[in-house]
Amino acid sequence: MNLTAATRLAGVVGNPISHSLSPILHNAWLEAAGLDGAYLAFGLAPGRFRAFVDGLRGGTLAGINVTLPFKTEALAAADRVSARAHAAGAANVLVFGPDGSVSADNTDGEGLLYAFARQAPGFRPDSGPLVLYGAGGAARGAVAAFLEAGCPEVRLLNRTRARAEDLAARFGDRVRALNTTDPDALSGAAALVNASSAGLGPDAPPPPDFSGAPTTAVAMDMTYRPLRTPFLKAAAARGLRTVDGLDMLIGQAIPAFTAFFGQPPPAAADVRGRVLRLLGEAP
Ligand code: NDP
């Protein structure tokens, strides 16, 4: 990498940040495109986000991706908010204008639909209900994206039902909270998406029982470490098509890269293969 005085800079901000794959993706694209740019990772102490963003006003960086725990603060720090960031209640992209302004966007929903398009060709979000496990920030973005894409019904299954009810209330009639044990929860579902951060340790809940889902349903897990999660393995055992979380990560990064560096990433760059090798997963 040859950094110059004209190098265009962007980065990702979060806490913790050391495991972020975003620098791998963006720098691989920059290299493949031959652009004079660099993408860095910033680990920020809690409470420092607003000051960090205000310090960047005016274009020191072209923009930043924002990850946990700052996505809600990112929305509040912006002067302009896209409709989809507003609907998701969070921003994962901030772009710094030369006039000192900050514009917020949320590309997670676009990433989610990109992952479906890549790994479940022909899937249509408007073809039936979405069953969504979780009711946190990622779930909210998923609800917004699926509703925008014409999904007729979203069923929220969350450990804390009250949180699912709060989320449903934000979106109106097409979204409702169900008990995680509701025997009809998966009936007629077109998509089953895991947006829970339950993890994979000894205390993690077992994967759902997919026997009530139609075999035409597509299952997607936002977790991508490991790539084949217990959720996806259980879905595959039921005969469902599966979509992993890595393509969502790539899909949310594509519009962010375009916003930061002024052109889409080169399609030929095999960033998925590069990340899979890094994670020790066979491409
Ligand atoms: P939040 O902290 O906002 O929400 C976490 C959700 O997980 C809540 O619904 C919570 O339920 C549930 N949960 C946590 N622990 C458990 C448990 N032990 N048993 C059952 N449910 C549990 O996180 P986010 O919504 O921001 O992120 C969710 C996941 O999605 C993360 O793993 C994140 O890494 C991933 N993600 C992946 C992306 C990608 O590009 N692939 C993009 C964005 C997120 P409760 O309400 O009961 O606490």
Side-chain angles (χ1 to χ4, degrees):
M1 181 189 303
N2 290 318
L3 299 180
T4 71
T7 301
R8 197 166 172 82
L9 298 172
V12 58
V13 180
N15 185 350
I17 202 65
S18 59
H19 294 316
S20 173
L21 296 173
S22 292
I24 310 288
L25 299 178
H26 286 268
N27 287 314
W29 281 328
L30 285 167
E31 189 185 318
L35 288 175
D36 183 13
Y39 185 99
L40 310 165
F42 302 97
L44 213 58
R48 299 301 304 160
F49 185 79
R50 187 60 180 259
F52 180 80
V53 168
D54 284 340
L56 293 172
R57 284 177 183 272
T60 314
L61 299 187
I64 51 172
N65 281 118
V66 182
T67 186
L68 290 176
F70 301 121
K71 287 185 175 184
T72 311
E73 277 182 81
L75 195 70
D79 308 303
R80 282 190 292 271
V81 173
S82 70
R84 58 190 183 174
H86 179 72
N92 72 326
V93 176
L94 293 181
V95 173
F96 299 103
D99 58 350
S101 65
V102 179
S103 302
D105 194 9
N106 191 315
T107 63
D108 280 339
E110 185 174 340
L112 177 61
L113 296 177
Y114 170 90
F116 271 86
R118 293 278 297 190
Q119 296 184 30
F123 169 79
R124 294 183 49 145
D126 62 355
S127 64
L130 162 67
V131 177
L132 190 54
Y133 298 86
R140 183 169 167 176
V143 173
F146 265 71
L147 289 182
E148 172 70 21
C151 181
E153 179 189 351
V154 179
R155 302 171 191 159
L156 299 174
L157 304 184
N158 192 44
R159 175 178 61 178
T160 310
R161 176 157 175 168
R163 199 171 174 200
E165 282 168 355
D166 284 350
L167 184 57
R170 289 177 179 277
F171 285 100
D173 291 352
R174 280 192 284 164
V175 185
R176 62 197 175 106
L178 298 181
N179 278 331
T180 50
T181 52
D182 188 321
D184 298 325
L186 309 192
S187 150
L192 313 160
V193 171
N194 186 25
S196 149
S197 62
L200 307 167
D203 299 335
D209 173 3
F210 290 122
S211 57
T215 51
T216 49
V218 178
M220 189 275 173
D221 196 338
M222 292 192 188
T223 300
Y224 48 83
R225 288 182 213 240
L227 203 62
R228 306 302 300 168
T229 60
F231 184 94
L232 293 184
K233 285 181 181 168
R238 164 79 178 142
L240 310 184
R241 283 197 291 169
T242 60
V243 174
D244 64 61
L246 182 54
D247 269 340
M248 176 174 174
L249 185 79
I250 294 170
Q252 62 78 32
I254 291 171
F257 182 96
T258 308
F260 300 153
F261 300 109
Q263 61 185 70
D270 178 23
V271 289
R272 183 177 166 92
R274 188 182 281 222
V275 171
L276 287 178
R277 281 189 291 280
L278 195 87
L279 296 178
E281 304 259 8

